[in-house]
Amino acid sequence: MPLLPLNPPARGFAQSEFELRTCELQKQMRGKQLDAVFFTTEAEFRYFSGFKSQFWESPTRPWFLVIPAEGKPIAVVPEIGVSGFELTWITDVRSWPSPRPEDDGISLLATTLHEVSARFRRVGAMLGPETHLRMPANNFASLQKMLSHHSWVDVSNIIQTIRSVKSKAEIEKIRFSCNIAAEAFDYLRQHLFVGVTEREACKAMHLEMLRLGADSCPYLISGSGIAGYDSIIMGPTDRALAEGDVLVIDTGANFDGYFCDFDRNYAFGSATKETVDAYDAVYAATEAGLAAAHPGRTTGEVWQAMWSVLEKAGALGNDVGRMGHGLGMQLTEWPSFIPKGDVVLKPGMVLTLEPGMAFAPNRMMVHEDNIVITENGCELLHPRTWDKLPVIG
């Protein structure tokens, strides 16, 4: 009998949450003598304003959010988007008739930044690793020229640090996304069969996640091969699963703008001892990661805890490049679990543990779970995966 849709948490956030986020940023800005910060990308724009729209999928129009050192954020947006701010806490909305290639909001943005940056003439923007400016390079050059007496400061680490600690409301949205995917993985375990294609398996899972309450599933990949797979970022393909194959599905279901991100493995018909041992190793490595992920520990220490298990199990390497990352409004967020990672874990951080190992040439096994750091350790945001590799008959 199909499971009933899960009970979702409330959508959106109280205005007080946006006020707290803005106040925290403004506190950091004062410490750096920043007059203003401006954002161009959807995650940061939504995080501080509450403006949520699928229109970000269109590359035609730029969107800008200015946060002054004091007071509420200011939206500098195309006219087509003005009415959407009635649903947010933003009251100062400035617009222009976009698209206008000769001046697509740049002079209006420059005027707004000049207005709020007279004291130190220092403006912050997302200029560091894992960021991008969602505006033409020539437009950013024009903005710098218009504000030639201003200094530009990279605030990416400040924003990443603020966003890495989630509120209770954010955590519940992620938890809901996680449980949708976990239920769908269980559903798939009962409905896969030898001969199904990767694409058919992913489609069945996609439909089940939507039925259970996901808003969308922008990320749903698969990989398969005899006794293992060699990639976790491609697919799905029309390859049919045969006796002796292993299938991995990695998904990022989304609810109210928040992602989950984890995978599950399935064997078909039978599994070799080598494959089973690899599965057991990544399962044990995840256990080590769960035990190590405490407040005060570093991302490098958690990586080492997981890698030490995989190394003892005979891992030939880790082709993924890291063993987990931050999670939230984006499928992957800062920080990463890497060998020399020095980011200190804090309560409220939502992260993935993703131990992976190459256990034979062109064969790998990867496992991923989602956790939140608590005051005393960490908590899984969904039921733990199967302790034994499931074999589909």
Side-chain angles (χ1 to χ4, degrees), residues 24-85:
E24 179 57 31
L25 173 56
Q26 289 171 330
K27 181 174 71 174
Q28 299 291 332
M29 289 167 62
R30 287 191 289 273
K32 300 286 186 181
Q33 294 187 331
L34 288 170
D35 297 297
V37 170
F38 86 99
F39 299 113
T40 59
T41 43
E42 191 268 346
E44 287 73 31
F45 199 113
R46 177 158 52 95
Y47 185 78
F48 290 102
S49 72
F51 179 78
K52 187 170 182 284
S53 170
Q54 295 182 51
F55 206 67
W56 286 93
E57 295 299 326
S58 169
T60 304
R61 297 173 176 86
W63 302 74
F64 309 110
L65 187 72
V66 174
I67 299 188
E70 295 180 356
K72 294 169 64 173
I74 303 166
V76 182
V77 299
E79 287 180 348
I80 195 172
V82 170
S83 62
F85 285 86

Side-chain angles (χ1 to χ4, degrees), residues 273-312:
K273 182 179 184 304
E274 194 177 29
T275 300
V276 170
D277 288 346
Y279 184 91
D280 291 345
V282 295
Y283 186 93
T286 305
E287 290 291 300
L290 290 168
H294 284 241
R297 303 293 293 274
T298 66
T299 49
E301 289 173 325
V302 178
W303 181 93
Q304 185 58 50
M306 292 187 285
W307 177 246
S308 63
V309 174
L310 299 178
E311 192 172 35
K312 290 177 182 177

Side-chain angles (χ1 to χ4, degrees), residues 312-327:
K312 290 177 182 177
L316 303 179
N318 173 261
D319 296 338
V320 177
R322 61 182 179 182
M323 288 199 280
H325 52 80
L327 175 69

